[in-house]
Amino acid sequence: MPLYHTEDQAMLADSARGFMAEEGNISKQLRHWRDRNCKDGFGHGLWKQMAEMGFTGMLVSEDDGGLGMGHVEAGIVLEEIGRNLTPSPFLTSSVLAATALGHASSDLKGRYLPGLIEGESVFAVAIDETAKHRPSRIGTRAEKSGNGFKLSGSKSFVIQGASSDMIVVAARTSGSDEDEDGITLFAVPQDADGMSQNPVRLVDSSMASHIKFDGVELDGDAVIGEVDGGREVLNAMLAAGRVGAAAEGVGVAQGAMDMTVDYLKQRKQFGKLIGEFQALQHRAAHLYSEVEVARAATIKAQQLLDEGAPSADLMTSVAKAKVAKAAGLAVKEGVQMHGGIGMTDEYDIGLYMKRDRALAEFLGDAYFHANRVAQLSGY
Amino acid sequence: MSDLEKFRAETREWLEANCPEEMRQPVREDDDVYWGGRNATFKNDAQKAWFEAARDKGYTVPSWPKEYGGAGLSPAEAKILRQEMAAIGARPPLSSFGIWMLGPALLKFGTEGQKKRFLNEIARGEIRWCQGYSEPGSGSDLVSMQTYGEDKGDHWIVNGQKIWTSYADKADWIFCLVRTNKDDKYKGITFMLFDMAGEGVSTKPILLISGNSPFCETFMDNVKVPKSYGEDCPGYVGEINRGWDVAKYLLGHEREMISGMGGGDRLTAIGTAMTRHAAKNGDEIDPVLRSEMALFDVDALAFTAMAEKFMDEMKAGKGHPAQPNMMKYVGTEINKRRHELMMSAGGSRSLEWESEETRGGKAPRDWLRTKANSIEGGTSEVMLNVISKRILELPGG
């Protein structure tokens, strides 16, 4: 598979780009909802429109009513989301939760997937229990109780947790906290008794919940996949989410870089366009190179994941880490090269910096993934 | 079975039968690489057998047309051959500036007579070429060069000096940029071809900080360069005074080649080998060094993907024409970092300059050699200038 988009994918990219620039742009979405202190941090109207575009169910199989597309296609949509800083449940619902639900019983699929595909439902995933991503450790417990389970423990930084109709929760059904085995995934409805959420607003205006489960009773059919065998599904979900976050990060980087390069061509100081100064030219050219390399790593990871290649896991961590570094550079250079105006709330470049910070942390930062690259490579 | 699958099966079989085991080992010594030329000698029978088999099959230059000594492979077939060779770790049967640089220039700008003669000689490894571009005072600012060819009707008389001519002391012929018009900086350069055994050409190796001297100074003292070597075979490539077009095209190739040194197409982390090697010698990798290696591997593996993407895009005609500059910049910076880490991982052993165990201080010599990567073929700073002007379209001279 060559490392560029096929004709069909290029067409999808064109329509996603047009749609997101028109409907998902910063003034219509991010600033609009932020300035109204929206409790969800995103607009349900846009989510509905994304369903009409066919985006919401793109990773859902055709048998289950979706489009049966792959990570390259989901990445195309995510890049445009990143470029426009569009707040939406796409990454959590259509990528992470959809991947988990792909392993669910037909009963669970029937309950949740139509709502996702129609843009009616929003899902969240609850994995982390600490401020740093550490999915090897799952302490939240689900004890057998009657025909079902009783869920106890807590999860932190669950993105859009309070806005979701259902939350995919990774819990421990056997073993100790650090064990590989003994994990089970559950589909927990928003209205479950004993679940309490404490939503907090994050730096990028998105909402995340700290969730407590106090003996939440779940039916046996809330289980996604196999009891005690959830690690595999969790890993599939993480891989999809990480490669998706990388794609969104490429969009954030590109958006910030484009803004900055435009600014270099307009802003005059000392009687010259600042883009004429070699000190800035070299930094801009270095930034361009880093973003291109990050983009290449991302499409490579998407393709390997779609092929089910053994090296997909390694490349996914390479992409997540590389994008975090490149996008981090893009937003830092962006703010610095804009000078004073870059520090104002009125100007958009700072919004890129905030989104990048949240995205870089989500599902493991550059250091987490560099460490993983070393571990997967045997050192 | 599709045609390509069939080609892959046949290629695998052919390699199995023709690539000796000894040629499937990493290159360790300088003479593990076969460069061809009038005075070439083979290191051993395996090197000879592998070269001859590849030459007869057209696999020294697989994608060149058959009539010019190649195998006429399509891009897809050439990729398969590369993959299959990489899979068994096969060494290139022949390395040469003729293949990497002059060949592509002749394919694009040469006359039929030049192609027939020179491309075949290159493919068969008969003539070893070197490149005469830089001059003292004209490095990355190549067009400021002074070597002058005075027009004498059917020939030029060339006087001047070139520098950084890699392996000029071992080369048979030179492709050389010569000023033929002093009034126009760009449209006054001719891309000449001449035999270095001729009168007036002399070379002197330049000792580098690595203690080696792949580079030379080359002096031209009243060298007679014919305008023609026979029917349809001019002594220059392209048009007279328009050699800059050829040189520019060729520099693109050189940059790809140098950038490729940081790449390769296998997803292999460098940290693995460095850590294993250290452990074998009873050394421990410091956690901070390990984290440096991990961050490096992220960049190197991402660049490997970039190299693959770049090749795919080039073949499909999708790439930006200045993209090789970006590849050169990133690839050479990565290669330098790689060797810095290798020096750290090796500890004091990497300092040994001369010992059998360290194969003559290969690690420190290679480390020092890589410092040239971001200078030769245009400095990193020149690459950044090109990216900012031609890709980002930033303003100003």
Side-chain angles (χ1 to χ4, degrees), chain B residues 255 325 328-329 377-388:
Chain B
R255 281 158 195 174
N325 298 79
K328 203 262 175 189
Y329 167 62
T379 61
S380 283
E381 289 69 24
V382 166
M383 297 305 115
L384 292 171
N385 284 346
V386 175
I387 295 165
S388 68

Side-chain angles (χ1 to χ4, degrees), chain B residues 61-352:
Chain B
V61 284
S63 50
W64 290 9
K66 283 187 177 165
E67 65 263 41
Y68 306 141
L73 299 191
S74 69
E77 289 169 334
K79 186 170 181 175
I80 288 173
L81 175 63
R82 267 200 313 280
Q83 287 169 340
E84 292 302 320
M85 282 179 63
I88 60 166
R91 289 178 188 167
L94 174 66
S95 296
S96 93
F97 296 117
I99 294 175
W100 300 324
M101 304 172 80
L102 180 60
L106 285 173
L107 281 167
K108 190 166 170 69
F109 297 98
T111 64
E112 190 55 33
Q114 283 177 321
K115 289 182 191 172
K116 281 232 163 69
R117 170 172 171 183
F118 293 122
L119 291 178
N120 272 297
E121 286 176 354
I122 291 167
R124 294 197 302 262
E126 290 166 354
I127 302 291
R128 185 167 176 178
W129 289 85
C130 69
Q131 177 201 56
Y133 277 20
S134 296
E135 297 180 8
S138 305
S140 290
D141 178 20
L142 208 50
V143 288
S144 67
M145 41 164 271
Q146 301 292 321
T147 293
Y148 185 63
E150 195 186 347
D151 197 330
K152 296 280 185 185
D154 66 345
H155 67 277
W156 290 281
I157 294 295
V158 176
N159 279 288
Q161 182 190 348
K162 293 287 172 182
I163 196 166
W164 310 122
T165 31
S166 308
Y167 303 109
D169 51 341
K170 300 189 176 75
D172 306 311
W173 277 57
I174 186 168
F175 47 99
C176 190
L177 293 178
V178 179
R179 184 157 297 290
T180 38
N181 172 1
K182 290 181 178 171
D183 299 330
D184 192 322
K185 209 173 161 194
Y186 290 90
K187 290 180 189 161
I189 296 171
T190 301
F191 190 104
M192 297 185 189
L193 310 173
F194 57 90
D195 193 323
M196 296 184 68
E199 211 168 307
V201 186
S202 58
T203 65
K204 192 173 117 199
I206 304 167
L207 192 62
L208 297 186
I209 51 176
S210 62
N212 297 339
S213 49
F215 296 113
C216 293
E217 289 178 282
T218 302
F219 303 92
M220 270 115 10
D221 182 17
N222 288 323
V223 176
K224 184 175 169 186
V225 177
K227 286 190 180 169
S228 169
Y229 292 114
E231 199 186 332
D232 195 30
C233 192
Y236 53 94
V237 181
E239 293 172 43
I240 291 172
N241 286 330
R242 296 306 296 266
W244 183 238
D245 299 341
V246 184
K248 246 188 350 192
Y249 174 78
L250 244 172
L251 281 168
H253 269 268
E254 182 176 17
R255 281 158 195 174
E256 278 160 36
M257 184 183 90
I258 294 171
S259 73
M261 299 197 300
D265 51 279
R266 276 175 290 181
L267 287 179
T268 313
I270 298 303
T272 319
M274 282 193 278
T275 308
R276 262 193 221 135
H277 189 70
K280 210 176 72 188
N281 290 288
D283 298 328
E284 239 175 70
I285 296 287
D286 185 277
V288 178
L289 174 57
R290 176 187 178 275
S291 72
E292 289 267 350
M293 294 196 299
L295 288 167
F296 170 78
D297 273 326
V298 166
D299 287 342
L301 294 173
F303 182 72
T304 303
M306 182 70 241
E308 189 185 337
K309 180 167 181 269
F310 172 65
M311 290 296 283
D312 289 343
E313 286 176 341
M314 277 225 311
K315 273 181 234 144
K318 285 172 183 280
H320 189 286
Q323 195 73 342
N325 298 79
M326 185 277 259
M327 296 297 296
K328 203 262 175 189
Y329 167 62
V330 181
T332 56
E333 296 297 330
I334 280 186
N335 205 38
K336 287 195 296 180
R337 240 172 98 198
R338 181 199 312 273
H339 282 267
E340 287 292 344
L341 286 171
M342 283 164 67
M343 288 299 285
S344 295
S348 298
R349 200 177 320 101
S350 328
L351 306 177
E352 283 187 26

Side-chain angles (χ1 to χ4, degrees), chain A residues 265 282 286 322 371 379, chain B residues 290 297 299 323 329 385 392:
Chain A
K265 293 174 186 173
H282 282 194
H286 172 71
K322 183 69 201 176
N371 184 46
Y379 71 96
Chain B
R290 176 187 178 275
D297 273 326
D299 287 342
Q323 195 73 342
Y329 167 62
N385 284 346
L392 300 178

Side-chain angles (χ1 to χ4, degrees), chain A residues 294-318:
Chain A
R295 180 191 299 283
T298 303
I299 187 171
K300 182 75 188 172
Q302 290 165 344
Q303 284 188 2
L304 290 173
L305 207 54
D306 282 334
E307 288 162 22
S311 52
D313 206 18
L314 173 69
M315 205 59 209
T316 294
S317 274
V318 167

Side-chain angles (χ1 to χ4, degrees), chain A residues 33-180:
Chain A
W33 297 115
R34 185 197 72 164
D35 294 349
R36 277 157 192 75
N37 211 16
C38 168
K39 69 172 175 49
D40 291 321
F42 66 87
H44 292 272
L46 183 77
W47 187 228
K48 205 58 193 152
Q49 281 176 283
M50 285 171 75
E52 283 157 19
M53 292 292 291
F55 296 158
T56 50
M58 60 199 305
L59 282 181
V60 176
S61 74
E62 286 178 280
D63 287 347
D64 295 327
L67 293 176
M69 290 179 163
H71 296 284
V72 176
E73 285 85 1
I76 286 168
V77 174
L78 279 159
E79 185 175 335
E80 299 312 317
I81 286 175
R83 195 192 302 266
N84 293 284
L85 305 181
T86 313
S88 99
F90 187 84
L91 186 53
T92 50
S93 301
S94 299
V95 178
L96 281 148
T99 300
L101 286 170
H103 295 81
S105 64
S106 50
D107 205 35
L108 271 187
K109 284 178 177 173
R111 195 178 315 164
Y112 290 116
L113 288 176
L116 171 70
I117 293 163
E118 285 154 25
E120 298 289 348
S121 302
V122 170
F123 306 138
V125 294
I127 302 163
D128 292 337
E129 300 175 1
T130 49
K132 294 303 282 187
H133 180 59
R134 194 176 154 200
S136 60
R137 185 197 172 280
I138 303 282
T140 294
R141 288 185 181 265
E143 310 270 338
K144 278 238 163 67
S145 158
N147 288 333
F149 295 85
K150 244 186 189 167
L151 191 62
S152 300
S154 63
K155 293 286 179 180
S156 49
F157 297 101
V158 177
I159 304 296
Q160 294 154 353
S163 314
S164 296
D165 303 279
M166 180 275 280
I167 303 170
V168 177
V169 179
R172 178 160 296 290
T173 37
S174 67
S176 59
D177 291 4
E178 306 280 348
D179 280 356
E180 178 77 12

